[in-house]
Amino acid sequence: MNIIKTKIPITSILNTSSKNFDYEDSFMGTYNDNQNLNGITDIGKAFFTSGPKWVEVLFSLRNKTVSIFGLKTTGKSENIEKQLESFKCNPGDQLGLFKVFFKNENEIILGEDDKHLNFRVSIFVNDSEKGTKTLTISTTVSFNNWFGKLYFFPVRPFHKLIVPTILKGIIKKIEQDKKR
């Protein structure tokens, strides 16, 4: 499975906003889904369960560290599967640190606004060749103050590892679901 660095999809809500971001990146992978078995809600839910254990450990460390500074944390992430049962990925829904800002049949925009920075994550599905789809995860960050820049400095290299890893995990999950 090949994950490539790309640009924010042209028709993504993130790309159509006129806002300039302090940071942005996008990663894309392809998968086969001839029968449209995985809708955007399924893919949005998979975003929360497709990361490896080391990503959970990093988020836990992040939460412990930033709580000292009064930043938002994910809270208790116990039993994420149970939380996902009622999570519909609809605007206003929240799971951990991620609030849903937008959803249509091809895209979900997740994110959060905090005192140091605001971020958005786009999960974007696009049909390419017959039966093949592309899945792109894009992230934008806007710094609200110097602390946002300071916070993101050590986060940035990890982010560039985490997002492609989660994207691979989502595609792997989609491919496994197809076989069932």
Side-chain angles (χ1 to χ4, degrees):
M1 164 183 341
N2 193 22
I3 303 298
I4 61 168
K5 189 161 178 35
T6 188
K7 296 195 179 287
I8 296 174
I10 292 172
T11 56
S12 168
I13 293 299
L14 294 183
N15 202 17
T16 57
S17 95
S18 59
K19 184 161 172 65
N20 291 325
F21 303 108
D22 295 305
Y23 174 84
E24 63 182 63
D25 69 21
S26 292
F27 297 91
M28 180 181 69
T30 60
Y31 65 97
N32 293 316
D33 189 9
N34 303 3
Q35 300 170 352
N36 290 317
L37 297 177
N38 295 94
I40 194 68
T41 300
D42 300 318
I43 294 168
K45 287 181 173 189
F47 173 80
F48 293 98
T49 59
S50 297
K53 188 71 174 164
W54 62 265
V55 172
E56 289 178 38
V57 171
L58 285 176
F59 274 117
S60 178
L61 178 63
R62 176 238 177 244
N63 288 335
K64 289 176 185 170
T65 304
V66 302
S67 65
I68 296 166
F69 300 101
L71 301 181
K72 294 178 182 178
T73 63
T74 58
K76 301 286 184 202
S77 60
E78 298 163 4
N79 202 350
I80 190 139
E81 292 295 331
K82 186 166 177 83
Q83 292 175 34
L84 280 171
E85 287 176 19
S86 61
F87 185 68
K88 304 294 183 214
C89 293
N90 289 324
D93 288 355
Q94 181 125 12
L95 188 62
L97 190 62
F98 295 86
K99 177 180 175 184
V100 180
F101 285 91
F102 173 85
K103 175 183 170 187
N104 67 19
E105 64 187 28
N106 296 343
E107 184 174 29
I108 296 173
I109 304 289
L110 305 164
E112 189 58 83
D113 295 338
D114 206 343
K115 57 186 171 187
H116 65 308
L117 60 76
N118 303 335
F119 74 92
R120 298 293 183 267
V121 175
S122 165
I123 302 168
F124 189 90
V125 177
N126 197 20
D127 292 330
S128 47
E129 297 173 19
K130 187 173 180 136
T132 301
K133 295 186 179 188
T134 60
L135 176 57
T136 306
I137 298 180
S138 304
T139 306
T140 62
V141 179
S142 298
F143 302 130
N144 294 330
N145 51 41
W146 65 269
F147 188 66
K149 291 179 186 179
L150 181 64
Y151 167 88
F152 197 68
F153 183 74
V155 168
R156 186 178 181 156
F158 290 105
H159 173 81
K160 290 181 177 191
L161 294 172
I162 291 170
V163 174
T165 301
I166 290 174
L167 181 55
K168 279 183 186 178
I170 294 170
I171 292 172
K172 184 177 178 182
K173 186 172 270 201
I174 290 169
E175 294 292 329
Q176 287 173 345
D177 287 350
K178 241 182 11 184
K179 294 176 183 175
R180 290 182 191 163

